[in-house]
Amino acid sequence: MSLLILVVDDEPDVEPLFRQQFRRDIRASRFTMEFAQSAIDALEQIDHAEGVTLILVLSDINMPGMSGLELLPNIKVLRPDVPVIMITAYGDAETKRKALENGAEALLTKPIDFAMLRQQIETRLGMVA
């Protein structure tokens, strides 16, 4: 079974950063990571994910077009079983409230605490094992 984590962020430097942080896990085939640079791209990838088990979506909040907060309920319609962690540079109380009220599992602030994110991922892996 192939386990997938989808990372949604419009910044091009996010993909190499995540691939570097999780290179051992990816190399060991513990999970794969796919990247979407827009909310629309993310929804298409989620809708067409075949042959993989989507275990987690990580989404930036501030993106052009559809924001991460607008994307969140759309993900929940397509895949209510998949936890979504929102990522933002602005971790104010109102943003956190909106994200959690709309179904986000957690809100991480940039720069990302990869140790905390790894704990979240390990929890998901434990749930599907």
Side-chain angles (χ1 to χ4, degrees):
M1 168 175 40
S2 179
L3 305 177
L4 172 65
I5 296 171
L6 178 62
V7 181
V8 187
D9 197 310
D10 61 308
E11 297 292 329
D13 60 338
V14 167
E15 182 173 349
L17 175 65
F18 273 74
R19 289 199 185 281
Q20 175 65 24
Q21 287 292 324
F22 297 101
R23 70 188 177 283
R24 288 187 182 119
D25 299 289
I26 294 168
R27 203 176 302 135
S29 299
R30 292 188 73 218
F31 54 80
T32 59
M33 285 190 145
E34 293 293 328
F35 296 84
Q37 290 195 322
S38 72
I40 298 299
D41 184 25
L43 290 172
E44 287 177 9
Q45 287 190 43
I46 291 167
D47 196 35
H48 296 103
E50 295 178 17
V52 297
T53 300
L54 183 60
I55 61 166
L56 183 63
V57 175
L58 303 166
S59 177
D60 188 22
I61 289 180
N62 295 315
M63 297 184 290
M66 184 188 302
S67 74
L69 288 175
E70 294 167 323
L71 171 63
L72 181 56
N74 289 297
I75 293 172
K76 289 301 185 181
V77 166
L78 287 173
R79 295 297 304 271
D81 58 314
V82 176
V84 179
I85 296 176
M86 305 304 293
I87 301 169
T88 183
Y90 313 101
D92 62 274
E94 181 64 14
T95 301
K96 184 172 186 173
R97 183 190 63 75
K98 284 181 184 175
L100 296 176
E101 280 181 0
N102 286 311
E105 187 84 9
L107 179 77
L108 300 179
T109 55
K110 292 180 180 179
I112 295 170
D113 179 345
F114 280 101
M116 182 183 296
L117 179 55
R118 183 170 293 284
Q119 288 177 334
Q120 293 278 347
I121 290 171
E122 290 300 327
T123 299
R124 302 296 153 241
L125 292 173
M127 295 170 95
V128 295

